[in-house]
Amino acid sequence: MDKINELTNGEKAISLGGILMLVASFLPWYKVSFSFGEFGSVSASASGWEAPGAIWSILAVIIAVAMAGVVLAAKFGNVQLPDLGSFTWGQALLAGGGAVVVLIVLKLINESSSLSYGFYLGVIAAALLAAGGYLRYQETGGMAKT
């Protein structure tokens, strides 16, 4: 538990957002129910991996897990992150958080009917990743190369 306190607010938000996005991806993102009156009803659900237009959610999950992996590996795995040339890791995490938000919005625009709780958890995870990316960008000095 003491190790968690070593994380900055941006790193905490990114880590939590990545983990939440991974968990949410296996929950129902869509649920459809059909009723046949007295003959019964049928319902079906689909996770973020199998829902219509799944490419958007799959890409969002991959980016989210990569962001959390970078943060946690650098902090707890004693991994030396490679130099990104003219970009900082703060900038890369900010861009990753923004990309996840864009992908979730695209998912919402393309498939806005019959959304289920897994999708809404994905929205919360995307917000955490975007906020964490912004905080990490600020924590690393913004545009300054660190």
Side-chain angles (χ1 to χ4, degrees):
M1 191 66 149
D2 191 39
K3 284 280 203 179
I4 293 174
N5 292 330
E6 293 179 19
L7 294 172
T8 66
N9 288 335
E11 292 169 335
K12 287 177 185 175
I14 290 169
S15 301
L16 182 60
I19 293 167
L20 182 59
M21 183 67 81
L22 181 62
V23 169
S25 72
F26 293 104
L27 299 173
W29 283 41
Y30 298 97
K31 185 171 183 169
V32 179
S33 297
F34 297 103
S35 178
F36 300 107
E38 61 190 53
F39 299 109
S41 64
V42 175
S43 66
S45 64
S47 71
W49 297 99
E50 56 197 13
I55 187 68
W56 306 120
S57 55
I58 291 171
L59 286 173
V61 171
I62 290 170
I63 294 170
V65 169
M67 288 175 66
V70 163
V71 166
L72 295 173
K75 197 63 144 191
F76 300 127
N78 296 323
V79 173
Q80 180 65 35
L81 296 176
D83 185 23
L84 297 178
S86 61
F87 294 100
T88 65
W89 275 101
Q91 291 170 328
L93 291 169
L94 176 63
V100 170
V101 169
V102 167
L103 291 168
I104 293 298
V105 168
L106 285 173
K107 183 86 168 158
L108 176 65
I109 291 170
N110 287 330
E111 303 293 333
S112 61
S113 63
S114 306
L115 296 173
S116 189
Y117 65 95
F119 175 80
Y120 296 111
L121 287 175
V123 169
I124 292 168
L128 280 169
L129 289 160
Y134 176 75
L135 289 172
R136 194 68 193 126
Y137 172 75
Q138 293 296 320
E139 292 163 357
T140 58
M143 297 295 285
K145 184 94 166 116
T146 57

